[in-house]
């Protein structure tokens, strides 16, 4: 028997990430080759944006995806989030010239307050939320606070792109196929303070810190490359990551929708329960396992040495500061 369609909302659907993402959802790469989907494509209430969205919808029609059962095109969050099972919050205001991070937090924060409330009021009772729009950790926290009726464990922010970047860098340095690298992990905020963990990452079953003898590279260029990869891509292309971000969101949702293979974990930003000394309530990058039934758990028992503890303290401090900046938006 064919399963009922999953309704998936995507904000910023006509943007670069949305354009790269939508065909992959419609083709079954996110939820599997047997799972029909209905795409709820949300854009800003702007004539140019809505015209672009119509063009995206026409292209999806022309692909003739067997799993794509219907599309909803709208600029109204009440319509866009109606009965959705997954809300992928991709759209966000980009950081402009001379704009401080705190300004971006406030501007985008107001957007995510409204989206959080619309999700709480109109989405399916089992809705799950994946936030991509930056600053994604704090935007997820804002949406979570605005949607009190939705269980906090349903809110996640994406650090899978950073995990993928870290894994690729380790494979390249070690001269091995990327399939030989496992356990790549990003702790903390999706920002320049994120902590790529090369101690708990494995290369052919051994700690990357032991396989790669160049400790200066691991503690220096490796971390900096992963932390600043987004800026490097903007400098090279003139625009931010799109294909890799869309790919990572497919990975992120699939990781939570399906059971994590035995002995493995994935990097996901979730609401902290105090694990590893992180203050409760922060949306924080952790090693996470999914049960494939809608639940997940933070993997316990990974070793944090003094180097990692120092790095974690910095990313915790940044997240706490961001939370203070946006608290007034929820008053």
């Amino acid at each position: 028997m064919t399963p009922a369609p999953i309704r998936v909302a995507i904000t910023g659907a006509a943007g670069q990430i949305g354009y790269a993402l939508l065909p992959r959802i419609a083709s079954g790469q996110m939820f599997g080759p047997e799972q029909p989907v209905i795409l709820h494509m949300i854009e800003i209430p702007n004539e140019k944006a809505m015209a672009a969205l119509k063009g995206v919808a026409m292209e999806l029609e022309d692909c003739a995806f067997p799993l794509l059962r219907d599309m909803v095109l709208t600029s109204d969050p009440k319509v866009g989030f109606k009965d959705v099972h997954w809300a992928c919050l991709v759209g966000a205001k980009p950081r402009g010239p001379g704009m401080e991070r705190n300004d971006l937090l406030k501007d985008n924060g107001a957007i995510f307050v409204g989206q959080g409330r619309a999700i709480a009021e109109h989405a399916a009772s089992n809705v799950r939320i994946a936030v991509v729009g930056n600053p994604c950790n704090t935007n997820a926290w804002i949406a979570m606070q605005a949607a009190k009726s939705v269980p906090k464990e349903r809110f996640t922010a994406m650090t899978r792109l950073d995990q993928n970047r870290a894994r690729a860098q380790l494979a390249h340095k070690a001269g091995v196929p990327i399939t030989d690298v496992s356990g790549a992990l990003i702790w903390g905020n999706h920002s320049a303070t994120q902590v790529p963990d090369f101690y708990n990452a494995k290369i052919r079953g051994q700690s990357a810190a032991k396989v790669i003898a160049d400790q200066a590279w691991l503690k220096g260029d490796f971390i900096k490359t992963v932390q600043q990869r987004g800026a490097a891509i903007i400098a090279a292309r003139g625009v931010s990551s799109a294909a890799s971000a869309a790919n990572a969101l497919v990975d992120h949702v699939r990781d939570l929708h399906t059971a994590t293979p035995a002995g493995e974990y994935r990097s996901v930003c979730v609401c902290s329960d105090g694990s590893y000394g992180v203050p409760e309530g922060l949306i924080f990058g952790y090693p996470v396992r999914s049960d494939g039934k809608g639940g997940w758990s933070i993997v316990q028992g990974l070793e944090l040495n003094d180097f990692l503890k120092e790095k974690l303290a910095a990313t915790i401090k940044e997240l706490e500061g961001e939370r203070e900046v946006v608290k007034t938006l929820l008053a």
Side-chain angles (χ1 to χ4, degrees):
M1 180 181 295
T2 302
I6 291 177
R7 291 182 177 269
V8 188
I10 304 94
T11 66
Q16 283 202 95
I17 296 175
Y19 187 74
L21 172 68
L22 289 162
R24 299 193 62 177
I25 301 175
S27 67
Q29 293 180 53
M30 183 176 278
F31 297 104
E34 305 297 329
Q35 178 59 61
V37 294
I38 296 173
L39 296 177
H40 288 231
M41 300 152 64
I42 306 170
E43 261 299 344
I44 58 175
N46 171 286
E47 185 176 346
K48 184 177 180 180
M50 291 306 295
L53 185 59
K54 184 177 180 180
V56 172
M58 286 190 285
E59 286 207 66
L60 288 169
E61 285 182 349
D62 294 346
C63 289
F65 291 117
L67 295 174
L68 181 56
R69 295 301 169 84
D70 199 2
M71 291 181 283
V72 176
L73 282 64
T74 185
S75 61
D76 185 346
K78 296 178 182 178
V79 176
F81 293 120
K82 177 67 174 174
D83 297 329
V84 300
H85 306 101
W86 271 94
C88 298
L89 308 186
V90 176
K93 181 178 179 179
R95 188 169 178 172
M99 179 181 265
E100 297 294 331
R101 185 174 176 86
N102 284 356
D103 296 329
L104 185 66
L105 282 164
K106 292 175 182 177
D107 287 352
N108 276 327
I111 295 170
F112 284 84
V113 168
Q115 291 181 352
R117 289 172 178 166
I119 289 168
E121 293 172 5
H122 301 285
S125 60
N126 62 345
V127 65
R128 303 178 80 181
I129 300 94
V131 179
V132 178
N134 282 319
C136 64
N137 291 58
T138 296
N139 286 339
W141 182 85
I142 291 168
M144 181 178 72
Q145 297 301 315
K148 293 292 189 182
S149 62
V150 180
K152 62 184 179 181
E153 61 268 19
R154 305 276 186 81
F155 288 86
T156 61
M158 189 180 82
T159 194
R160 189 59 150 84
L161 177 53
D162 306 304
Q163 176 190 314
N164 290 346
R165 288 167 171 167
R167 191 179 180 203
Q169 291 298 313
L170 291 171
H172 181 74
K173 183 68 173 179
V176 300
I178 200 163
T179 50
D180 286 351
V181 181
S182 61
L185 171 61
I186 307 296
W187 299 92
N189 199 5
H190 173 69
S191 74
T193 68
Q194 65 180 256
V195 186
D197 184 346
F198 54 85
Y199 291 103
N200 288 297
K202 299 289 193 297
I203 298 175
R204 295 178 176 171
Q206 291 188 311
S207 170
K210 292 182 178 180
V211 175
I212 297 174
D214 191 345
Q215 293 295 301
W217 178 84
L218 286 168
K219 293 182 177 180
D221 286 348
F222 166 65
I223 290 177
K224 290 178 183 177
T225 296
V226 177
Q227 289 176 336
Q228 300 173 11
R229 188 68 162 187
I233 289 171
I234 291 172
R237 293 187 68 233
V239 290
S240 59
S241 308
S244 58
N247 176 71
L249 182 53
V250 171
D251 289 343
H252 174 98
V253 174
R254 187 177 58 232
D255 287 345
L256 293 169
H257 183 70
T258 59
T260 308
E264 298 183 22
Y265 53 75
R266 302 290 184 261
S267 293
V268 186
C269 298
V270 298
C271 187
S272 173
D273 61 359
S275 293
Y276 296 98
V278 178
E280 290 186 33
L282 291 180
I283 299 292
F284 196 85
Y286 276 116
V288 168
R289 288 183 51 80
S290 171
D291 63 10
K293 300 176 182 178
W296 54 261
S297 60
I298 296 170
V299 174
Q300 303 296 327
L302 296 186
E303 182 180 353
L304 296 180
N305 59 19
D306 289 342
F307 178 83
L308 289 176
K309 288 178 180 177
E310 180 182 348
K311 296 294 185 182
L312 259 65
T315 200
I316 288 169
K317 182 178 179 180
E318 181 181 57
L319 280 168
E320 290 180 319
E322 290 184 4
R323 183 173 60 182
E324 290 304 311
V325 169
V326 301
K327 272 186 175 180
T328 56
L329 298 172
L330 297 157

